[in-house]
Amino acid sequence: MSDDGRHIEIRGIVQGVGFRPWVFHLARAHGLGGCVRNDAGGVTIEAFGPTAALDAFLHDLNADPPPASSIRSTESRRIAARPAAPFAIVASAGATDHRVSIPADLPTCPDCLAEILDPSNRRYRYPFTNCTNCGPRFTIARGVPYDRPATTMAAFKMCDACRREYESPEDRRFHAQPNACPACGPRVSLTNAAGTVLAVGDPIAEAARLLGEGRIVAIKGLGGFHLACDATCDVPVAELRRRKRRDEKPFAIMAASLDVACRLARLGPMEQLLLSSIERPIVIADRLAESGLAANLAPRNPTLGLMLPYSPLHHLLIRDAGLPLVMTSGNLSEEPIAYRNDEAIARLSGIADAFLLHDREIETRCDDSVARLIAGTPTVFRRSRGYVPQAIPVAPPFREPVLACGAMLKNTCCVGVGDVAYLGPHIGNLENLETYEAFEHAVERMQQFVGVRPRVLAHDIHPEYLSTQYANRRGSVTLVPVQHHHAHVAAVMAEHGLDGPVLGIAYDGSGLGTDGMAWGSEILLVDGPAFARVATFRPLALAGGDTAVRQVWRQALALIVDAFDGTPPVERLALFRGIPDREMRVVRQMIDAGVNCPLAHGAGRYFDAIGALGLDRAVSQYEGQVALEWNLAAAPDEHGSYPFDLETGSAVLEVDFRPAVRAIVADLLAGAHSAVVAARFHTTLAEATSAVVRRVIAERGQLPVALSGGCFQNALLTERVVERLAVDCRVIRHERVPPGDGGLALGQAWVAGPTRDKTGT
Ligand code: ZN
Ligand code: ZN
Ligand code: FE
């Protein structure tokens, strides 16, 4: 048993998550000397002791790390034994590289939860309890390195008891930057609708009482305000809908525990894991008939968005209320989420009856994330609180730092540096000044946290996107315009470390194509920064342009005029009976004459148009509503399909669904159930996709196939496409970033990253 030494470098999410204290205890338990410290890329350990103890220590390092950490790699080499003092935590080494220093926000850990529920604990019912394993991080960080003075906790001076915890390596709160207690930390208060503080003994208990009475309460959370109400009662839910001007878009629910959640929705083992993961996303699942929830939470939608409490304030509030609560983002439709006290009171006073506030400021707004299990893979729909700013490993690496500005809808930005990318928080639709300002703030923050100011900017080719205009305004940079669907496919490739060639399938609503048309059903051959368009769907006319995106009956009319060669059976279809004659005539004339009828290739357009016919739905109340309902209407056990043609006349293959449209209309006129028609429609899209893929592979040889675009948030479509392709292809899908436009910036950054040589900068 000779003395020995190891130099160990650990990479991944290992800072700000209680990693060093854990290493400290582990090393001492194995009787080792040496030290652990944070370094530029993660954590470095030097350990000395008997060889067997070192080996056991190394094994344990990887076996059971702290819950919020995530080890990407562990490298260990032997070094000469040194007489070492007892194992210690030492200060960070030299020049700091900021890359990994800001962790994502973490949900309350079981130890802290036990404390706030224990009447004998000094933190009993204290809503800002946290430790190195849990608590706010990204949303309170003002600068780097991530230390208390650079957070919004700088305003609070730790009391002696908290200071002792903070300074003791033995303590769970060693270097827990937001450490606080009732004596020294932030406080909650309750105000009325006008923002006047109410004199109540226990603001949380009082807020819970108001919720139980059917009131709407605005609640300050981790990344912004929620609007909450009783989720089991139609009346407050309807009132919230009215005040928030949100017609039919589903509201998310918070359930007190996993047990409660399992009584509200059908949750398999993977969904339960996702729901209780450290990111704590809203998880979409099928609502149970006997859930007891208000029917108007999600009109015409059989699914439910569910989440678990992730802050001590949530735990206390939902226990006091004893009810599942609607927890929807605190904004008016289309605006960014409110995150400052005065701003929230100004903007939400017409919606909320009361405000549950606190005096710990939120520095960067961060909406709840949303995820769903699709074809066996957890798929992130909105990547924000809990995920941001976790590093996304990508390959090949970025030659120099890149900033990607994202899309217009569901905007996020992305900073790429080295072999990782950092996607910023969800901003929403960049359609007004408020969201644009939120976008600029997020860009500045992400650059600051990563410690770079990129000179390469990637952006969409659409000149009117506010994100594109931001890129154009920023001087002394190299601009790299990236086509929308190219970026979608590139995002999957970046995640999987594939440089191409890859056959990318990008299905979504709309994105500008290189020919100036709206694209959205694109099969592209992507090879690094280059792409070629291989196939697309026959385009559909949008009568009145964007008006047709909401008034989906216009798309349905154009679709059948096209499919029936100008003599569609309009009078026999229920959908058109509700449309006033005059409007029908005008729109029909527009379509026949091709006036103000831009053609669009979006796969989403087919969901809109055929969904409108199949469900007798003339108008989408919110973006993509009818398309979503058409997806959710499908009977999963129906496997029939409709005919289609593959037009091979031009350089780009065109999938012609006119035969399918005629067959669908025949089915509907024969009284077929919409669930059956919807399922057959999904299968038809999957068969058309697989027909194109087989043809390309026959010509070019085997290629991996990448799925991206908002349509792959459709579980049934994804399942049916994967079923058909996975038989003889390698199919890659998104794992860490959204298939929709929320993941687009990663693809933009990745296209711009490896092109430095070719653009000569
Ligand atoms: Zn904790
Ligand atoms: Zn204290
Ligand atoms: Fe898109």
Side-chain angles (χ1 to χ4, degrees):
M1 203 167 80
S2 65
D3 265 10
D4 198 354
R6 294 283 184 283
H7 178 97
I8 304 162
E9 289 184 7
I10 302 179
R11 300 285 169 260
I13 302 171
V14 291
Q15 294 186 1
V17 291
F19 204 85
R20 288 174 305 161
W22 173 74
V23 171
F24 169 88
H25 287 295
L26 202 59
R28 291 221 164 169
H30 285 284
L32 302 174
C35 63
V36 57
R37 62 169 184 263
N38 283 342
D39 65 18
V43 159
T44 298
I45 301 166
E46 288 191 341
F48 304 97
T51 306
L54 286 168
D55 289 343
F57 171 65
L58 253 171
H59 171 269
D60 288 356
L61 271 182
N62 283 295
D64 187 28
S69 68
S70 163
I71 297 178
R72 190 140 52 86
S73 68
T74 306
E75 277 176 28
S76 155
R77 59 188 158 82
R78 173 163 282 153
I79 52 175
R82 243 185 274 154
F87 201 88
I89 299 172
V90 298
S92 304
T96 47
D97 173 335
H98 301 143
R99 275 177 219 181
V100 285
S101 66
I102 313 257
D105 299 286
L106 295 166
T108 309
C109 74
D111 291 337
C112 287
L113 180 59
E115 288 180 342
I116 63 169
L117 299 178
D118 171 6
S120 68
N121 192 283
R122 74 186 185 98
R123 288 189 173 86
Y124 177 59
R125 285 187 68 82
Y126 184 57
F128 305 96
T129 302
N130 67 82
C131 71
T132 51
N133 295 317
C134 74
R137 301 283 191 273
F138 173 73
T139 53
I140 59 163
R142 286 201 160 123
V144 284
Y146 173 69
D147 275 326
R148 187 168 175 119
T151 71
T152 61
M153 282 301 292
F156 302 93
K157 189 174 179 302
M158 267 186 266
C159 67
D160 289 346
C162 287
R163 166 78 42 199
R164 273 196 299 279
E165 294 166 340
Y166 183 86
E167 288 173 351
S168 164
E170 313 285 339
D171 199 278
R172 206 172 88 241
R173 297 194 163 93
F174 175 68
H175 284 195
Q177 306 303 345
N179 188 28
C181 77
C184 68
R187 282 156 204 241
V188 280
S189 58
L190 190 73
T191 80
N192 64 13
T196 307
V197 176
L198 302 172
V200 293
D202 185 334
I204 296 177
E206 180 61 14
R209 197 186 63 76
L210 291 173
L211 289 166
E213 275 182 357
R215 302 302 184 88
I216 295 165
V217 182
I219 293 160
K220 188 172 180 181
L222 226 46
F225 277 75
H226 282 118
L227 287 161
C229 72
D230 176 359
T232 65
C233 181
D234 283 6
V235 179
V237 174
E239 185 59 18
L240 178 56
R241 236 174 236 298
R242 190 185 67 75
R243 294 190 197 168
K244 201 170 154 34
R245 289 184 235 146
R246 176 146 151 167
D247 291 337
E248 296 194 339
K249 206 168 178 180
F251 284 140
I253 305 295
M254 186 175 279
S257 67
L258 197 54
D259 281 352
V260 174
C262 286
R263 292 198 290 272
L264 304 177
R266 192 167 295 111
L267 300 170
M270 293 276 277
E271 276 131 340
Q272 295 185 30
L273 275 178
L274 192 55
L275 199 57
S276 41
S277 67
I278 61 155
E279 290 87 2
R280 286 288 198 283
I282 295 169
V283 174
I284 298 174
D286 291 331
R287 182 184 347 191
L288 290 172
E290 62 276 20
S291 69
L293 292 170
N296 52 352
L297 285 175
R300 290 189 247 258
N301 186 327
T303 65
L304 192 65
L306 266 174
M307 65 181 144
L308 295 178
Y310 53 83
S311 77
L313 190 152
H314 292 151
H315 281 289
L316 295 168
L317 181 75
I318 204 156
R319 272 159 204 261
D320 288 355
L323 292 163
L325 296 174
V326 167
M327 288 288 252
T328 188
S329 46
N331 55 3
L332 270 175
S333 296
E334 316 303 331
E335 287 180 1
I337 187 169
Y339 73 121
R340 294 188 187 277
N341 291 354
D342 47 354
E343 173 220 7
I345 291 166
R347 282 170 57 196
L348 306 178
S349 64
I351 305 176
D353 298 310
F355 289 82
L356 185 57
L357 303 175
H358 60 73
D359 55 1
R360 185 180 72 200
E361 278 186 55
I362 297 169
E363 184 61 23
T364 302
R365 56 160 74 80
C366 208
D367 289 68
D368 291 319
S369 297
V370 182
R372 181 169 196 185
L373 192 68
I374 292 188
T377 305
T379 307
V380 186
F381 286 12
R382 184 203 283 160
R383 187 182 183 280
S384 209
R385 193 256 317 141
Y387 293 92
V388 177
Q390 286 181 24
I392 303 164
V394 299
F398 295 97
R399 180 143 313 169
E400 67 171 289
V402 176
L403 169 70
C405 303
M408 178 180 77
L409 299 178
K410 304 179 178 67
N411 178 278
T412 60
C413 66
C414 179
V415 175
V417 54
D419 58 358
V420 291
Y422 298 91
L423 216 49
H426 167 82
I427 300 298
N429 298 348
L430 278 183
E431 293 173 317
N432 52 47
L433 184 64
E434 289 82 7
T435 46
Y436 181 74
E437 284 172 354
F439 164 80
E440 280 195 326
H441 180 84
V443 167
E444 287 304 319
R445 267 297 124 79
M446 293 308 289
Q447 293 179 149
Q448 182 195 3
F449 287 176
V450 183
V452 295
R453 192 161 174 91
R455 285 176 299 128
V456 177
L457 258 66
H459 61 85
D460 197 273
I461 63 171
H462 201 303
E464 277 154 33
Y465 284 5
L466 293 180
S467 49
T468 303
Q469 293 176 5
Y470 169 85
N472 284 321
R473 271 200 296 274
R474 202 162 125 166
S476 336
V477 291
T478 305
L479 293 178
V480 184
V482 183
Q483 197 279 327
H484 189 98
H485 303 93
H486 181 199
H488 271 311
V489 176
V492 196
M493 293 167 70
E495 277 196 61
H496 290 268
L498 290 175
D499 206 13
V502 159
L503 192 58
I505 300 172
Y507 291 168
D508 65 4
S510 172
L512 185 63
T514 51
D515 59 0
M517 282 179 71
W519 290 9
S521 52
E522 310 312 314
I523 302 193
L524 309 173
L525 202 57
V526 179
D527 195 356
F531 81 95
R533 194 183 191 198
V534 174
T536 187
F537 294 174
R538 182 179 173 84
L540 247 162
L542 296 181
D546 280 348
T547 310
V549 175
R550 283 288 168 106
Q551 294 189 21
V552 287
W553 68 271
R554 293 175 179 232
Q555 297 181 55
L557 184 60
L559 180 82
I560 60 169
V561 167
D562 186 37
F564 287 87
D565 264 333
T567 53
V570 173
E571 4 7 86
R572 298 171 61 202
L573 288 161
L575 167 66
F576 301 108
R577 279 178 214 137
I579 312 294
D581 284 349
R582 216 189 84 81
E583 249 186 288
M584 270 297 279
R585 261 201 319 280
V586 171
V587 171
R588 181 66 194 272
Q589 279 165 7
M590 285 164 72
I591 293 168
D592 288 344
V595 173
N596 192 12
C597 278
L599 292 175
H601 288 278
R605 301 285 79 89
Y606 280 89
F607 281 87
D608 281 346
I610 296 175
L613 289 170
L615 299 169
D616 296 343
R617 300 269 285 125
V619 177
S620 272
Q621 303 287 350
Y622 58 89
E623 185 209 332
Q625 183 187 19
V626 171
L628 174 66
E629 285 172 12
W630 189 234
N631 160 18
L632 298 174
D637 46 359
E638 165 63 39
H639 288 276
S641 65
Y642 298 111
F644 57 90
D645 287 332
L646 217 49
E647 299 293 333
T648 56
S650 57
V652 178
L653 288 173
E654 191 171 270
V655 183
D656 182 353
F657 285 115
R658 283 176 300 178
V661 173
R662 290 190 290 269
I664 286 168
V665 169
D667 259 2
L668 291 173
L669 293 178
H673 197 284
S674 58
V676 170
V677 179
R680 290 179 181 166
F681 165 78
H682 281 75
T683 307
T684 307
L685 286 192
E687 289 190 339
T689 306
S690 121
V692 173
V693 169
R694 278 198 304 272
R695 177 181 274 269
V696 175
I697 285 176
E699 277 173 17
R700 307 192 45 108
Q702 197 53 251
L703 289 168
V705 178
L707 309 185
S708 189
C711 291
F712 289 105
Q713 292 180 183
N714 175 330
L716 185 67
L717 178 70
T718 308
E719 279 163 22
R720 301 242 152 135
V721 168
V722 169
E723 261 164 39
R724 276 160 187 78
L725 296 182
V727 182
D728 40 25
C729 300
R730 176 181 174 204
V731 179
I732 57 170
R733 292 162 56 198
H734 286 289
E735 289 173 1
R736 295 182 181 85
V737 312
D741 287 0
L744 202 78
L746 171 63
Q748 292 175 342
W750 185 84
V751 169
T755 59
R756 294 311 97 231
D757 284 343
K758 295 173 190 176
T759 55
T761 50

